[in-house]
């Protein structure tokens, strides 16, 4: 094979789109699910003690105020934005990570008694961490689903 052919193949491989990779925030992942609950009930599922521990980790004491720093058994971070019933934005750095990620949780009302809960995380280091966090957030949504069925 010629050098120009090989170079062309390498360029194609370099430009290949990798799922979850962005130009500006590293890797990102998002998961969402719609539940048969009101917006208020969805918010409560996220911020109640059991809800917080399902996504932040056990041992977390989280005050929903911008600037509040928190720690749990799996990581630490800082609350950035709190819009009751709508949005939480925070940094989150799991143990062993070299830098924090950004997590955004949105509560999106659909129709009467249907609400979507969305988790979006960016500034992830690589594809492996992205996949790990995708599975993590999906398990959080499964936990929320189980609790939503008891409302």
């Amino acid at each position: 094979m010629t050098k120009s052919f090989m170079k062309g193949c390498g360029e194609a491989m370099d430009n290949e789109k990798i799922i979850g990779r962005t130009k500006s925030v590293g890797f990102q992942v998002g998961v969402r699910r719609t539940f048969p609950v009101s917006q208020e009930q969805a918010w409560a599922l996220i911020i109640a003690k059991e809800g917080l521990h399902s996504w932040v980790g056990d041992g977390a004491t989280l005050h929903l105020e911008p600037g509040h720093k928190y720690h749990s058994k799996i990581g630490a971070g800082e609350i950035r934005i709190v819009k009751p019933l709508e949005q939480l934005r925070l940094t989150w750095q799991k143990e062993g990570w070299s830098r924090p990620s950004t997590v955004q949780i949105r509560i999106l009302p659909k129709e009467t008694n249907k609400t979507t809960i969305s988790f979006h995380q960016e500034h992830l280091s690589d594809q492996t961490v992205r996949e790990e966090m995708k599975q993590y957030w999906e398990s959080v949504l499964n936990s929320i689903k189980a609790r939503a069925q008891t409302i």
Side-chain angles (χ1 to χ4, degrees), residues 41-107:
Q41 291 168 322
W43 181 254
L45 286 167
I46 295 297
I47 67 163
K49 184 177 181 179
E50 188 178 346
L52 286 172
H53 288 201
S54 77
W55 60 272
V56 176
D58 289 336
T61 303
L62 204 67
H63 300 286
L64 297 179
E65 299 171 12
H68 174 76
K69 291 182 176 18
Y70 66 91
H71 291 82
S72 74
K73 291 183 179 177
I74 60 173
E78 181 180 333
I79 303 294
R80 295 288 172 86
I81 295 173
V82 178
K83 294 181 182 177
L85 302 178
E86 295 178 16
Q87 176 189 17
L88 289 174
R89 187 174 175 95
L90 56 139
T91 63
W92 188 33
Q93 186 168 355
K94 284 183 71 177
E95 294 293 327
W97 286 4
S98 61
R99 65 183 181 133
S101 65
T102 300
V103 175
Q104 184 162 245
I105 303 166
R106 290 199 178 261
I107 309 297

Side-chain angles (χ1 to χ4, degrees), residues 110-150:
K110 293 297 207 184
E111 33 192 273
T112 304
N113 282 330
K114 282 194 178 179
T115 305
T116 298
I117 298 175
S118 167
F119 291 91
H120 182 266
Q121 188 171 16
E122 57 191 29
H123 298 289
L124 299 171
S125 60
D126 59 41
Q127 218 169 355
T128 302
V129 172
R130 179 194 181 273
E131 186 57 35
E132 172 191 338
M133 294 315 301
K134 181 178 185 223
Q135 291 175 11
Y136 180 82
W137 294 120
E138 287 173 348
S139 73
V140 168
L141 287 173
N142 288 336
S143 169
I144 291 170
K145 179 182 178 183
R147 287 184 291 116
Q149 292 172 343
T150 65

